[in-house]
Each structure stands twice: as C-alpha cells, then as structure tokens.
C-alpha cells in the first residue's frame, strides 16, 4: 500500500535568523533548511546591513548576537510586530554572560524530587548519602577582583572552604575566545600567577567525562563528552611541601608556573584510548533527572535554547562519602552547538514550527 500523500501545508512560516558567520556555517546546514521547509518553515537570514523592522514579518526570530544596538533593534521589532516570537529575549540571555549569575540560577532551582545541596544551603544528612535519588549542586567558587585578593592564596582558599587544585575561569562568558580561557591551578604559585578579575572554582573529580545536556524548548537531550581527568587528592601537606607535589599529568612548565591553561576541552578529540574509554564506559545520568533539571532551568532562566554541563562527583577518599548520584552544574551556554546533538535537524525544525504555530 503506497504511503499517503504528505499533508498539504496550508501555511508557510518565516523564521528569521541572526547568527555570527561561523555559526551560520555550523548550524544553518542544508539538512536543517530542507527539513524545516518540509514542515512549512522557511529559514531566512536577516540582512544585518539594514534595520530588521524594514524586513517584513517573521513569525519567529532566533539569534545569537549581542550588544546595545542589536538589543534595541529587537525591541523595536517586537513593538512593531507583537505577534512575532523572539527566541530568546536578550535580557534573559545576559544572565548567562557571567559565570557568577549563570550558576546562581542553579542555586535557586526548585526541583521537588531532587535533594539540592547548594553552597551555603542545606546539608547532607546521613540518610541522604545512602539514598539513590540524585542531588544537584554547584561547585564552590569565588570571584577574585584584583591581585590583592591573591596575595595570600592559602587564606583565600581557607576562607571559602576550597582546596587545591582549583579551576580558574574568566568572569565573562560572552562568547569571546577569551571567555573560554581556563586554567587548572595546582599550587599557590599558580594562584598568584592568575590575572584578575577571575572566578576561582573548586575542582571536582568527575571521572574525565562531562554530560552536556541540550535544551531546545521542551526537548532535553544528554550526551557525553571528554573532560579533564581526575586529579588524585594530594596527602595533606604544609605550604612548603606543596611545591613537591608532582602531578604526572602536568608538563614541567605547568608545574613551574603552577597552572595549566586549556580551552574548549569538551570539544577536543580524545588524547588517548583511556580518554575515550572513560567517556564510553561512563554511566549516563537518569533521563528523569536530566529532564527535571533541564525543564527547571528552562523555567528559571526563561530561555528555550541552551545547554548545561553536568559532572558527576567522583571524589572519594577519607572524609568524603562517595555519592554516586551527586552532580554539579559547572557551565550553562546560550545557543550552543546544536548541530552536535543527535537528530538536531528534526529537533530544531519541530521547535521552530512550534514557535510559529503554538499548538494549544
Ligand atoms: N569545577 C570543575 N571541576 C572539574 N572540572 C571542571 C570544572 N569546571 C570546568 N571543568 C572542566 O573544564 C571544562 C571547561 O569548563 P567550562 O565548561 O566552564 O568552560 P567553557 O569554556 O564555558 O566550556 P564550553 O565550551 O562548554 O562553553 C569542563 O568541560 C570540564 O572539563
Ligand atoms: O559542545 P557545545 O555545544 O557545548 O559547544 C558550544 C559551547 O558550549 C558554547 O556554547 C559555544 O558558544 P560561545 O560560548 O558563545 O563561544 C559554542 O560555540 P558556537 O560557535 O557553536 O556558538 C559551542 O558550540
Ligand atoms: Mg562547558
Ligand atoms: Mg561555556
């Protein structure tokens, strides 16, 4: 029996997009354009050389551009075309442009079925550490505004309940190349070598795997990616001994300056079979947990297109109950590399259609 003729599409929808040129290359792939077209959605590039209010009605505009001028354009457009759906409003995206405000949202999530142990809030009772349900936290972190704050690194870490190694990250997460310049800091000398302002975040051993959770409207998809390897906790050492902590995974110059620079590690190819092995054998978090966090973040952020990086706490050793289901959110990204997500054409074209034609 032959397949029924495709349902005639009685209306076509225009989705305008404004993306950096590199993202047009990676995201607006012919496969996406074709699949959207089959569903009645025409993906149209906005002409950024002229005001978007002069370019006609778009049922939906998706974008990943920043700046006052662009934000003003979107505001003008929304007031001229109140029925057009802007994905997403710039004032909500801005919260993800700081590594402080992006994680503060996690600290305030209300997810009933989860045990939220958040910095300074809640504490793990005996019974919780045995329970199977997942818990969600954010790593301890502090913004060091100027070099004065790094003068006595031991005091700084002690004050915020952190210990070496730590990860140092730019405060701004604004999509610039610099915003991805990270440092693994292994000793006090490394801390003193940092350029401020900078976020100093506790390093959580997580088995060398990061779970990237993509959110596209109400669709949530978790994938595994390579991450930094675990760093064995050094035996408690006094200040003068810490210089002798040799870390095999660090080069001699990294040991010399006390820090290792890296960037975009979750996008880089595995360096070894072991790397790949860690990723392949890592157990995925439960779908229910991932979806609960994704939906709660979407609600709290008021955003429809983002992903977040989840790591499972693999810290073991004296004084720390190894809790298989303790997770940390370490990063949230606006309009990430959706083309890396399985079936991205179907997911995104369905999303665009839903934005243009919300089914009751
Ligand atoms: N607190 C942490 N503990 C352990 N590893 C961490 C921590 N924070 C970051 N990392 C490692 O560093 C990598 C980069 O960190 P992060 O995701 O914050 O940077 P980013 O530049 O925003 O990355 P992305 O490319 O995902 O936007 C993470 O994928 C993880 O491998
Ligand atoms: O592997 P993913 O999809 O997470 O990689 C993303 C990354 O997380 C950031 O979202 C990058 O955007 P910026 O933070 O703005 O640099 C994405 O780069 P882009 O060129 O695709 O926007 C990465 O794909
Ligand atoms: Mg990340
Ligand atoms: Mg990021």
């Amino acid at each position: 029996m032959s397949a029924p003729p495709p349902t005639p599409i009685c209306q076509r929808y225009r989705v305008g997009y404004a993306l950096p040129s590199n993202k047009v290359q990676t995201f607006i792939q012919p496969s996406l354009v074709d699949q959207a077209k089959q569903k009645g959605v025409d993906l149209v590039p906005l002409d950024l050389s002229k005001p978007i209010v002069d370019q006609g009605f778009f049922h939906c505009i998706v974008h990943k551009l920043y700046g006052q001028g662009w934000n003003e354009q979107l505001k003008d457009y929304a007031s001229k075309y109140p029925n057009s759906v802007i994905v997403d409003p710039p004032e909500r995206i801005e919260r993800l442009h700081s590594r402080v405000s992006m994680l503060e949202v996690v600290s305030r999530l209300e997810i009933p079925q989860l045990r939220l142990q958040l910095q300074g809030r809640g504490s793990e009772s005996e019974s919780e550490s045995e329970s199977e349900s997942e818990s969600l936290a954010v790593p301890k972190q502090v913004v060091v505004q100027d070099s004065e704050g790094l003068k006595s690194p031991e005091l700084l870490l002690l004050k915020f309940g952190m210990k070496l190694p730590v990860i140092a990250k730019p405060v701004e997460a604004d999509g610039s190349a610099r915003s991805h310049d990270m440092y693994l800091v292994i000793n006090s000398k490394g801390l003193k070598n940092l350029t401020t302002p900078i976020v100093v975040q506790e390093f959580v051993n997580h088995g060398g795997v990061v779970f990237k959770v993509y959110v596209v409207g109400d669709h949530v998809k978790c994938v595994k990616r390579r991450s930094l390897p675990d760093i064995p906790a050094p035996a408690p050492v006094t200040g003068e001994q810490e210089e002798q902590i040799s870390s095999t995974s660090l080069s001699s110059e990294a040991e010399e300056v006390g820090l290792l620079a890296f960037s975009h590690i979750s996008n880089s190819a595995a360096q070894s079979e072991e790397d790949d092995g860690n990723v392949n054998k890592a157990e995925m978090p439960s779908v229910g947990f991932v979806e609960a966090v994704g939906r709660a973040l979407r609600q709290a952020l008021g955003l429809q297109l983002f992903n977040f990086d989840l790591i499972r706490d693999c810290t073991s050793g004296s004084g720390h109950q190894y809790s298989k289901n303790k997770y940390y959110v370490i990063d949230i990204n606006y309009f990430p590399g959706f083309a890396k997500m399985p079936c991205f054409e179907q997911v995104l074209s369905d999303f665009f259609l839903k934005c243009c034609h919300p089914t009751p």
Side-chain angles (χ1 to χ4, degrees):
M1 184 162 148
S2 61
T7 318
I9 293 169
C10 46
Q11 173 168 1
R12 299 207 66 81
Y13 300 102
R14 281 184 7 126
V15 172
Y17 62 85
L19 301 168
S21 51
N22 69 312
K23 200 153 185 79
V24 173
Q25 296 296 319
T26 55
F27 178 68
I28 306 291
Q29 297 181 21
S31 55
L32 173 65
V33 175
D34 292 347
Q35 196 154 145
K37 195 179 284 295
Q38 285 165 29
K39 294 174 184 173
V41 173
D42 296 320
L43 289 173
V44 180
L46 292 177
D47 179 347
L48 301 177
S49 67
K50 56 188 186 186
I52 56 176
V53 283
D54 300 341
Q55 298 180 43
F57 175 70
F58 292 96
H59 297 86
C60 171
I61 287 182
V62 293
H63 70 103
K64 188 178 183 179
L65 296 181
Y66 306 124
Q68 178 102 36
W70 172 247
N71 294 354
E72 287 302 320
Q73 280 225 56
L74 282 177
K75 206 176 282 181
D76 294 346
Y77 191 87
S79 58
K80 180 171 183 182
Y81 298 106
N83 292 334
S84 176
V85 179
I86 307 291
V87 178
D88 283 291
E91 63 276 10
R92 296 183 193 166
I93 299 171
E94 269 153 29
R95 181 152 47 179
L96 299 188
H97 291 166
S98 150
R99 293 187 188 277
V100 176
S101 52
M102 74 162 71
L103 294 187
E104 279 170 348
V105 180
V106 181
S107 308
R108 291 195 297 273
L109 287 184
E110 301 293 336
I111 312 178
Q113 69 268 39
L114 280 198
R115 294 174 292 126
L116 289 181
Q117 282 120 17
L118 303 163
Q119 192 166 341
R121 263 184 55 195
S123 62
E124 191 164 338
S125 65
E126 278 315 301
S127 60
E128 279 180 336
S129 56
E130 280 84 59
S131 86
E132 275 309 298
S133 71
E134 294 89 354
S135 71
L136 187 70
V138 291
K140 294 187 188 94
Q141 68 177 25
V142 59
V143 178
V144 184
Q145 292 295 355
D146 54 43
S147 55
E148 197 58 32
L150 295 172
K151 278 251 173 5
S152 16
E154 292 81 0
L155 273 184
L156 173 84
L157 296 179
L158 205 61
K159 184 175 167 194
F160 292 94
M162 290 193 274
K163 59 190 184 315
L164 290 167
V166 291
I167 292 263
K169 308 182 181 182
V171 180
E172 298 299 305
D174 56 4
S176 61
R178 190 192 164 283
S179 69
H180 295 283
D181 291 345
M182 310 260 129
Y183 299 92
L184 174 65
V185 184
I186 56 163
N187 59 35
S188 306
K189 196 192 312 178
L191 274 174
K192 288 177 182 167
N193 282 332
L194 292 172
T195 307
T196 53
I198 197 143
V199 172
V200 173
Q201 188 181 83
E202 68 174 332
F203 181 91
V204 178
N205 277 333
H206 55 284
V209 184
V210 62
F211 302 106
K212 280 222 172 245
V213 184
Y214 288 92
V215 178
V216 180
D218 56 14
H219 180 84
V220 180
K221 176 67 182 169
C222 181
V223 297
K224 294 188 277 192
R225 290 281 180 74
R226 183 175 164 265
S227 187
L228 287 179
D230 288 351
I231 299 179
V237 290
T238 54
E240 64 274 11
Q241 285 171 302
E242 72 178 10
E243 304 312 321
Q244 289 138 34
I245 293 176
S246 68
S247 166
T248 48
S249 60
L250 294 183
S251 61
S252 54
E253 59 270 18
E255 281 190 52
E256 180 51 40
V257 294
L259 44 79
L260 172 75
F262 67 93
S263 175
H264 282 303
I265 190 165
S266 59
N267 266 338
S268 56
Q271 300 297 304
S272 68
E273 296 283 306
E274 188 195 348
D275 283 346
D276 259 343
N278 282 338
V279 175
N280 296 335
K281 70 173 188 265
E283 184 186 338
M284 292 286 268
S286 76
V287 173
F289 167 64
V290 158
E291 288 187 346
V293 178
R295 294 200 169 120
L297 268 177
R298 180 184 170 213
Q299 177 78 30
L301 292 166
L303 293 173
Q304 305 226 58
L305 295 177
F306 62 95
N307 77 3
F308 58 97
D309 291 352
L310 204 58
I311 57 176
R312 178 185 289 130
D313 185 348
C314 294
T315 309
S316 55
S318 60
H320 189 288
Q321 172 72 26
Y322 177 117
S323 146
K324 184 168 86 67
N325 292 327
K326 178 165 187 178
Y327 292 88
Y328 289 88
V329 174
I330 56 171
D331 181 26
I332 307 176
N333 302 292
Y334 185 68
F335 208 136
F338 286 119
K340 297 171 239 178
M341 183 176 69
C343 309
F344 95 96
E345 298 91 342
Q346 181 191 330
V347 173
L348 271 295
S349 54
D350 285 346
F351 171 72
F352 294 145
L353 184 60
K354 207 174 272 186
C355 286
C356 297
H357 181 62
T359 41

